[in-house]
Amino acid sequence: AMNHATEFIQRGTITPAWLGGKPSTAGATLEIRSGADGSVIGRVPAAGEVEVDQAIASAAGARHAMARLPGHVRRDVLAQVASGLTARAGEFAGVLVEEACKTVRDARTEVARAIDTFRLASEEATRIGGEYLPLDNTARSEGIEAVWKRVPVGACSFITPFNFPLNLAAHKIAPAIAAGNTVVLKPSEITPFSGQLVEKLLEEAGLPEGVFSLVLGDGETGAALCEVGVDKISFTGSVATGRRVAVACAEQLIPCTLELGGKDPMIVCADADLDAAAGGALAGGFLNAGQFCCGTERVYVVEEVADRFIEKVVERARALRQETSGEFDVGAMFWPRQLEIVERQVDDAVAAGARVLVGGRRNPRFEGLFYEPTVIVDVRSDMALMRDETFGPVLPIVRVKDVDEAIARANETRYGLAANVWTRDAKRAGEIARRIDSGSVCVNDLSMTYGVIEAPFGGLKESGVGHVQGRDGLRGYCHAQPLIRDRFGGRQAGSHYPYSEKRDAGMKRMIRFFFGTPLGRWLS
């Protein structure tokens, strides 16, 4: 996989078709550096306003033709993307290892989920909006029939982050195309290469010209993409940037879907399988070097089992391998600024009385962005480490008196993305889950709702707006369009005027009968 990635990057970038091989108006080139050692692994042209406008115009121009594209054609294109991605899984995994410093296992898992996302979207393409659906027609007695169908919203722009560059792009592109929309994608400037490979897959699958455009660039490019011309924006990233995207959408009166930050809690009950819970805590805290919006960032364990649980977590954390190649468990972080945030939060917590049991520093063995897998205790709710998103390999553990305190502490946050509960009692788990202010809750598993692509995924509070995944996510790329028909050929509307007391009396009798009597309600 690494050889595939190196070969791809050394060939240079794949220039987006709509750029025509010309440099951007800004003339900027972005250097892509490895988080493992800081070396330059590639360069990409940054799109300026002109290129962004061209991409949006292309998507807007193709929207009506795409909306008319039969569902079975969209199905076949997405199925071909899934097949192509399967055939080139090694190449894609290698690119993720290279540009995102992932472990081979994490990279292969991301590829597998992207394949599944395109596959599921392919299956839904012929179902969504394919037929007119009857409404509960209370107006039938007046000679009115009402049906409705789902129609695509139009041209969509997507801005995706660096932590899961392939999967997060797939989660937006696949349902949007399945529903008949056109797409402009801007991947993170840190991880552009997987986005380029997706562009090539879509092109090879026979997607009509203009339906998909790729723009590469930094935050300024993303801002230009939000300004004007699209019908929906979907953004995944920080709360601060999400607010700006929401403002831009509000000014244009267009819908948006926002997948933002999280400070996800884990609750360990006294009856939990502690070995399983300890393993789940490590997976939730250190998967993808902790750069995971659904990652576990706060652990609340009942006092009765806290010592044994912490001991098991520490033992496992000390055994984690951090390397740059070969077999290892935790890789480098992607972004220098994010590493600085992690360092500051941990250092400030320690200065205020917290104790580091494992890790707690940059790994001195490496020149790159490696932060040691860290377990920390004696933390307080007022610490930035417990209040703000960390987005790094840090696992704070808090002892609580009982489950009620754990729930109260779990809800002490402005976020509400995901949570996980560990207990052997299924009924109790459900009761606890209902009391947690969270977009999703997992029982005896880390917060992996995003891994179950049939399930809707979305956050509460500052963690986001709207849903992705599943049929709910797919419907977010549609507009519900009703069609109302007068069975009498318009004679009712045509005779609306003039007003008369006789007709008004008839209306009163109708209201009394249809809404005021059992027989009328049944008939209506």
Side-chain angles (χ1 to χ4, degrees):
M2 285 292 290
N3 290 338
H4 280 299
T6 302
E7 179 186 357
F8 167 74
I9 290 168
Q10 288 176 348
R11 286 202 307 267
T13 62
I14 303 172
T15 303
W18 53 265
L19 276 177
K22 297 178 182 179
S24 68
T25 51
T29 299
L30 299 175
E31 281 191 346
I32 313 304
R33 293 182 176 272
S34 168
D37 59 13
S39 62
V40 176
I41 59 174
R43 294 176 175 83
V44 296
E49 286 188 33
V50 171
E51 291 80 12
V52 171
D53 289 346
Q54 289 173 347
I56 292 175
S58 178
R63 57 170 292 193
H64 294 298
M66 182 61 179
R68 293 192 298 270
L69 198 68
H72 71 272
V73 177
R74 301 195 302 271
R75 175 198 64 199
D76 292 346
V77 167
L78 291 168
Q80 183 59 42
V81 172
S83 296
L85 186 50
T86 302
R88 299 168 66 181
E91 180 179 0
F92 274 74
V95 169
L96 291 171
V97 169
E98 186 83 4
E99 73 174 350
C101 302
K102 291 178 180 284
T103 65
V104 173
R105 178 177 180 178
D106 287 351
R108 293 196 186 280
T109 299
E110 182 169 349
V111 172
R113 287 189 177 136
I115 294 170
D116 214 19
T117 299
F118 281 109
R119 178 196 58 78
L120 182 64
S122 171
E123 295 171 0
E124 292 290 340
T126 54
R127 301 172 187 156
I128 191 75
E131 297 180 358
Y132 279 90
L133 306 172
L135 293 168
D136 293 332
N137 192 1
T138 59
R140 180 176 294 276
S141 59
E142 292 187 41
I144 294 173
E145 289 181 337
V147 295
W148 67 284
K149 71 175 297 185
R150 295 186 184 93
V151 297
V153 294
C156 304
S157 66
F158 300 148
I159 302 172
T160 55
F162 57 78
N163 55 332
F164 291 96
L166 173 61
N167 205 37
L168 290 172
H171 273 266
K172 299 180 189 298
I173 295 168
I177 290 176
N181 298 280
T182 57
V183 171
V184 180
L185 171 70
K186 192 205 88 68
S188 169
E189 62 269 33
I190 303 170
T191 53
F193 299 118
S194 50
Q196 292 178 320
L197 284 175
V198 168
E199 178 189 39
K200 193 160 185 65
L201 276 180
L202 291 167
E203 185 179 296
E204 292 171 350
L207 196 67
E209 185 177 353
V211 172
F212 177 85
S213 295
L214 180 74
V215 294
L216 303 177
D218 54 16
E220 291 184 7
T221 306
L225 199 58
C226 295
E227 286 181 359
V228 69
V230 295
D231 302 293
K232 177 171 180 174
I233 296 175
S234 182
F235 168 81
T236 302
S238 71
V239 174
T241 304
R243 289 185 191 278
R244 292 195 287 271
V245 172
V247 168
C249 291
E251 289 177 341
Q252 299 172 71
L253 293 178
I254 61 172
C256 64
T257 299
L258 305 176
E259 299 177 69
L260 308 179
K263 196 68 184 172
D264 299 344
M266 171 181 183
I267 295 177
V268 183
C269 301
D271 67 339
D273 179 333
L274 297 185
D275 285 318
L282 261 68
F286 304 140
L287 173 71
N288 210 46
Q291 296 158 123
F292 177 33
C293 62
C294 299
T296 299
E297 296 211 356
R298 298 175 293 147
V299 180
Y300 298 103
V301 55
V302 172
E303 180 68 48
E304 183 179 339
V305 295
D307 287 338
R308 285 185 289 148
F309 174 77
I310 293 171
E311 181 181 346
K312 291 177 182 294
V313 170
V314 167
E315 181 182 0
R316 289 171 179 254
R318 284 177 176 155
L320 292 175
R321 298 162 297 177
Q322 196 167 39
E323 297 291 344
T324 59
S325 61
E327 292 186 352
F328 61 97
D329 305 301
V330 181
M333 297 184 66
F334 308 162
W335 198 26
R337 192 182 306 173
Q338 194 62 44
L339 176 56
E340 292 168 5
I341 291 172
V342 173
E343 283 186 306
R344 184 167 61 250
Q345 287 189 6
V346 173
D347 292 347
D348 289 350
V350 170
R355 288 187 299 123
V356 171
L357 303 183
V358 181
R361 60 177 183 172
R362 291 193 190 212
N363 194 319
R365 296 192 297 114
F366 305 107
E367 294 182 4
L369 307 177
F370 287 86
Y371 196 84
E372 293 178 338
T374 297
V375 180
I376 186 169
V377 296
D378 297 342
V379 290
R380 300 191 311 270
S381 298
D382 62 346
M383 294 177 174
L385 182 64
M386 298 298 286
R387 186 182 65 243
D388 302 330
E389 187 173 35
T390 302
F391 219 63
V394 180
L395 193 66
I397 302 177
V398 179
R399 299 167 182 265
V400 292
K401 179 180 62 176
D402 53 27
V403 169
D404 287 339
E405 182 185 353
I407 294 170
R409 301 284 290 275
N411 289 336
E412 288 178 346
T413 177
R414 64 183 185 275
Y415 297 106
L417 191 58
N420 55 100
V421 178
W422 296 75
T423 174
R424 300 177 196 267
D425 187 332
K427 180 180 179 181
R428 190 184 192 200
E431 293 170 351
I432 294 171
R434 283 189 288 273
R435 295 172 59 190
I436 300 175
D437 300 332
S438 179
S440 63
V441 182
C442 292
V443 178
N444 296 334
D445 195 2
L446 64 150
S447 299
M448 286 301 293
T449 308
Y450 218 125
V452 183
I453 60 171
E454 294 87 352
F457 179 85
L460 303 178
K461 303 179 183 177
E462 291 189 9
S463 285
V465 175
H467 288 87
V468 298
Q469 294 194 158
R471 291 185 177 175
D472 279 3
L474 186 65
R475 289 166 183 164
Y477 292 105
C478 299
H479 171 74
Q481 184 185 64
L483 175 65
I484 311 299
R485 183 174 71 90
D486 183 345
R487 294 165 61 199
F488 302 115
R491 290 196 299 271
Q492 293 188 103
S495 61
H496 187 81
Y497 295 111
Y499 169 82
S500 71
E501 292 185 1
K502 180 180 179 181
R503 292 180 63 186
D504 187 50
M507 177 64 73
K508 290 178 181 178
R509 288 194 299 270
M510 186 200 73
I511 291 172
R512 283 197 299 268
F513 176 70
F514 283 111
F515 301 108
T517 68
L519 177 60
R521 285 193 295 269
W522 180 79
L523 288 172
S524 67

